[in-house]
């Protein structure tokens, strides 16, 4: 099995209306879709974990030299559509299966039940062999 990170950002796909302007029914349908999908992936043993994150307006950026107090700022950040909105970690047999699941995430409904077609990033989680390859002496 191989772990993959599915990355959901604030790029809304084909949906132009911000979620805070959707009807309560559309928001519920959107969230219910994620709940059902995550339940199915948990039952199949493919979902390791995942979370939705607060909006970029609450994000902080922290830098540190390891000696003095860290510097904490509220930005500036990249365009908000490039900020992480949530993620899932899945453990699947193949990259093809990871892509199938990412396609299901991308089809989450927006207003009127229209699939959002939101771009979902798919990245393989590095394993011990990857680290050995990067550091053959370690």
């Amino acid at each position: 099995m191989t772990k993959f990170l599915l990355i959901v950002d604030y790029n809304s796909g084909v949906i132009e209306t911000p979620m805070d302007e959707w009807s309560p029914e559309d928001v519920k349908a959107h969230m219910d879709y994620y709940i059902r999908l995550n339940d199915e992936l948990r039952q199949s043993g493919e979902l390791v974990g995942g979370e939705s994150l607060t909006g970029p307006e609450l994000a902080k950026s922290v830098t540190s030299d390891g000696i003095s107090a860290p510097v904490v700022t509220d930005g500036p950040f990249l365009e908000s559509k490039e900020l992480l909105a949530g993620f899932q970690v899945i453990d699947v047999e193949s990259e093809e299966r990871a892509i199938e699941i990412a396609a299901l995430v991308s089809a989450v409904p927006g207003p009127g039940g229209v699939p959002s077609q939101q771009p979902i990033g798919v990245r393989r989680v590095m394993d011990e062999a990857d680290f050995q390859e990067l550091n053959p002496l370690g």
Side-chain angles (χ1 to χ4, degrees), residues 55-98:
E57 69 279 3
L58 299 175
K60 303 285 187 233
S61 179
V62 179
T63 57
S64 174
D65 62 7
I67 299 168
S68 54
V71 176
V72 181
T73 61
D74 292 334
F77 296 111
L78 302 172
E79 291 185 53
S80 64
K81 71 180 181 179
E82 296 174 357
L83 288 174
L84 189 64
F87 65 92
Q88 293 162 298
V89 177
I90 55 175
D91 196 3
V92 293
E93 291 291 333
S94 65
E95 182 180 53
E96 290 75 22
R97 177 62 180 148

Side-chain angles (χ1 to χ4, degrees), residues 99-113:
I99 290 170
E100 288 174 7
I101 294 170
L104 294 171
V105 175
S106 176
V108 65

Side-chain angles (χ1 to χ4, degrees), residues 7-11 51-56 80-87 118:
I7 303 164
V8 179
D9 62 23
Y10 282 94
N11 184 334
E51 299 292 339
S52 296
L53 305 173
T54 59
S80 64
K81 71 180 181 179
E82 296 174 357
L83 288 174
L84 189 64
F87 65 92
Q118 181 178 17

Side-chain angles (χ1 to χ4, degrees), residues 27-46:
V27 172
K28 182 175 178 356
H30 181 88
M31 300 311 290
D32 286 349
Y33 180 93
Y34 273 119
I35 290 167
R36 279 191 309 277
L37 177 58
N38 286 339
D39 284 345
E40 290 172 14
L41 294 173
R42 250 185 237 97
Q43 290 174 10
S44 70
E46 294 174 304

